[in-house]
Amino acid sequence: MNNKKESFSFRIGKFFVPGISTRFSNINPLELILELAKYYRRERLRKFVMYSNLFGPLMPKLVRPYIYRKLGCRVGSKVYIGREVMIDPRWTSKICLGDFVTITDRCTLIAHKRDMRNYKVGDWLMETPHIISPIIIGKKAHIGVGSIILPGVKIGEGAVIGAGSVVTKNVPPYCIAVGNPAKVIKEL
C-alpha cells in the first residue's frame, strides 16, 4: 500500500481514469487536465481504429497500420490489421510488427502483466506494479482470429498462429502453433 498523500486533483483523476498511476498523486489541476486530454485523445483514436469501417477496404491495410504507428507501435510495411484488434493501449511502443504481418479480427496483443511475486492476502491487485515485456511478430507471420498474444512473446518469421490461440511462449519461425496455451503442431 502506498503511503503518499493524494491530492484532491489526483482523487478527481482517479474517478475519470480508473487505474491512473500513483506517480500522479501530487498532480496540480492544470497538469491533470492535460493528462486527461492526452488519455481521451488516444482512447478516441484507438476506438476509431478498432471499430470504424469509414475507409472500407483501405482500413485494415493502410489506415489502421498508419494510426498504430502514430500511437507508437513499430509497424512494418504492408501490414494487415483486422477489425477490433486490441493492441495494448498503454504500452503500444513495446509492440513490433514486421513486414507483411497479418493480424486478423479480434486479436489482442498485451505487453504488460501484473507482478504477482510480492502479492499477499489483503493487498489490492491494482496497486501491484506492472511487468512490461515487448511483443515481436516477425515478417510474414499470420495471427488467427481471436488470438491473444501475451507479454514477452516473439513470433518467428512466417509462423502461423491458429484461431483462438493464447500465445504464452516464443514461437519459432515457419511453424504452426494452436491451442490454449499455443503449442507447435507442425514445422513448415
Side-chain angles (χ1 to χ4, degrees):
M1 183 85 182
N2 200 348
N3 293 332
K4 279 186 182 177
K5 185 168 172 35
E6 295 176 350
S7 67
F8 180 70
S9 302
F10 178 69
R11 284 182 271 162
I12 291 172
K14 278 195 338 190
F15 177 78
F16 288 107
V17 184
I20 190 170
S21 174
T22 53
R23 71 187 167 111
F24 297 113
S25 61
N26 292 324
I27 195 167
N28 70 42
L30 180 59
E31 287 175 345
L32 174 68
I33 291 168
L34 293 173
E35 283 298 321
L36 289 174
K38 273 198 291 190
Y39 173 80
Y40 282 107
R41 180 181 167 272
R42 286 178 61 87
E43 268 309 289
R44 278 196 319 271
L45 254 178
R46 196 175 63 77
K47 285 183 179 174
F48 171 76
V49 167
M50 282 177 66
Y51 302 115
S52 177
N53 274 331
L54 185 62
F55 297 103
L58 297 177
M59 195 67 178
K61 294 178 185 171
L62 296 174
V63 178
R64 286 189 188 113
Y66 173 78
I67 292 176
Y68 276 121
R69 278 187 201 103
K70 290 294 181 192
L71 291 173
C73 187
R74 288 173 284 163
V75 180
S77 64
K78 302 199 184 206
V79 170
Y80 178 97
I81 301 175
R83 279 180 51 82
E84 297 181 36
V85 170
M86 203 284 282
I87 293 180
D88 196 324
R90 280 180 123 181
W91 305 105
T92 311
S93 63
K94 297 292 182 184
I95 297 171
C96 179
L97 309 175
D99 299 336
F100 302 101
V101 166
T102 300
I103 301 177
T104 56
D105 296 347
R106 294 193 174 163
C107 290
T108 303
L109 286 76
I110 306 169
H112 73 281
K113 62 182 175 182
R114 295 282 177 184
D115 184 3
M116 302 301 287
R117 290 177 292 194
N118 297 325
Y119 184 70
K120 297 177 217 61
V121 174
D123 287 350
W124 187 40
L125 186 62
M126 296 304 286
E127 290 284 326
T128 59
H130 284 107
I131 296 174
I132 297 105
S133 302
I135 295 174
I136 300 168
I137 300 178
K139 293 179 183 178
K140 299 179 183 175
H142 178 92
I143 313 298
V145 174
S147 295
I148 300 170
I149 314 297
L150 295 179
V153 169
K154 182 176 181 186
I155 296 174
E157 182 177 340
V160 177
I161 307 299
S165 298
V166 178
V167 184
T168 59
K169 295 180 179 154
N170 293 346
V171 176
Y174 297 103
C175 65
I176 299 172
V178 297
N180 179 6
K183 293 183 175 121
V184 175
I185 60 165
K186 182 177 180 182
E187 293 188 17
L188 304 173

